[in-house]
Amino acid sequence: MGDRVTLALNGRQLPATVVGALVEGNAQAVEASWASFERLDPDPRAVEYEVRLAPGAGPRAYAAAAEAVDPALRASVPDGRNAGTTTVVAFASVFTVLIGVVASLGVFNTVLLSVRERRRELGMLKSIGMTPRQVVAMTVASVAVPGLAGGLLGLPLGVLAHRLVVDNVEVITFPEAMKDVWSAPHVAGLLLAGVAIAVAGALVPARSAARMTIAAALHTE
């Protein structure tokens, strides 16, 4: 930014200053104002127009009307979707769901083994009046705290990994505005994700422990 360059066309030269960079586009092309183009070419001719419609105007209707006026025109309407972005978001979503499922299964296995090891303890607690709901709450709470700790540890590591990956992408240089994606609601949601995964994995074993009878729990000892 701020570098001085000289544009040359048909024997004419024009000094210019670099004032910005495009995230994507033709690496061999330079975007400048029409006034600068006129200084390089006294008789400039446009080969493509970009039209911004007024609010409420129909893009398809405008394109059809433009082609009806001049059949030589080829009007196209961008759909506003980016295939690359859609693909990346889709893969990221799938991997996020898979990681969440795997983590929940890990919690499920751990809690299931813990319940089996504590069958006598649970039987004694139920014999002195602990209700099934209290058993579920106790079992789920035992994994909710480690889940919160996992969120507190994983969140800064994830933010750091995100910045390292984005900053080292060689194909595209992202501006700071596009990398600033960590808003307070997103951070809060990610922080609670560890708790949600832990609770989801522990819920089934917890309900199984709540349905266990006192006799069955003490009979295993």
Side-chain angles (χ1 to χ4, degrees):
M1 299 298 178
D3 288 349
R4 296 286 295 176
V5 297
T6 300
L7 305 179
L9 179 66
N10 298 329
R12 296 173 178 266
Q13 293 186 346
L14 175 67
T17 303
V18 178
V19 296
L22 298 177
V23 176
E24 58 182 356
N26 186 356
Q28 304 299 322
V30 174
E31 291 206 2
S33 65
W34 188 259
S36 299
F37 190 25
E38 287 180 331
R39 294 178 62 183
L40 292 172
D41 187 353
D43 186 24
R45 296 183 180 180
V47 296
E48 182 178 338
Y49 295 91
E50 291 186 2
V51 179
R52 179 178 296 176
L53 301 180
R60 303 289 179 184
Y62 178 86
E67 291 183 347
V69 172
D70 186 352
L73 292 176
R74 292 294 178 266
S76 62
V77 180
D79 57 6
R81 295 174 297 178
N82 186 296
T85 302
T86 302
T87 302
V88 170
V89 171
F91 273 104
S93 301
V94 170
F95 281 121
T96 300
V97 172
L98 291 177
I99 291 174
V101 171
V102 172
S104 296
L105 291 176
V107 175
F108 172 84
N109 181 64
T110 301
V111 175
L112 184 62
L113 293 176
S114 176
V115 168
R116 290 184 177 180
E117 292 176 355
R118 299 170 58 191
R119 290 172 68 94
R120 179 177 176 81
E121 177 186 343
L122 292 175
M124 294 179 63
L125 291 174
K126 296 183 73 172
S127 67
I128 60 177
M130 178 173 277
T131 65
R133 288 187 177 181
Q134 291 174 330
V135 173
V136 172
M138 180 188 67
T139 306
V140 171
S142 65
V143 296
V145 174
L148 180 60
L152 291 173
L153 179 62
L155 182 59
L157 293 177
V159 172
L160 177 62
H162 166 263
R163 179 49 66 99
L164 290 176
V165 171
V166 173
D167 285 345
N168 290 278
V169 174
E170 297 182 357
V171 180
I172 300 176
T173 301
F174 294 97
E176 289 297 325
M178 295 185 65
K179 293 185 288 187
D180 186 15
V181 297
W182 304 105
S183 62
H186 291 157
V187 172
L190 292 173
L191 187 61
L192 296 176
V195 178
I197 292 174
V199 171
L203 198 56
V204 174
R207 291 175 62 86
S208 176
R211 291 193 299 266
M212 182 174 52
T213 62
I214 299 174
L218 298 179
H219 181 71
T220 58
E221 299 296 330

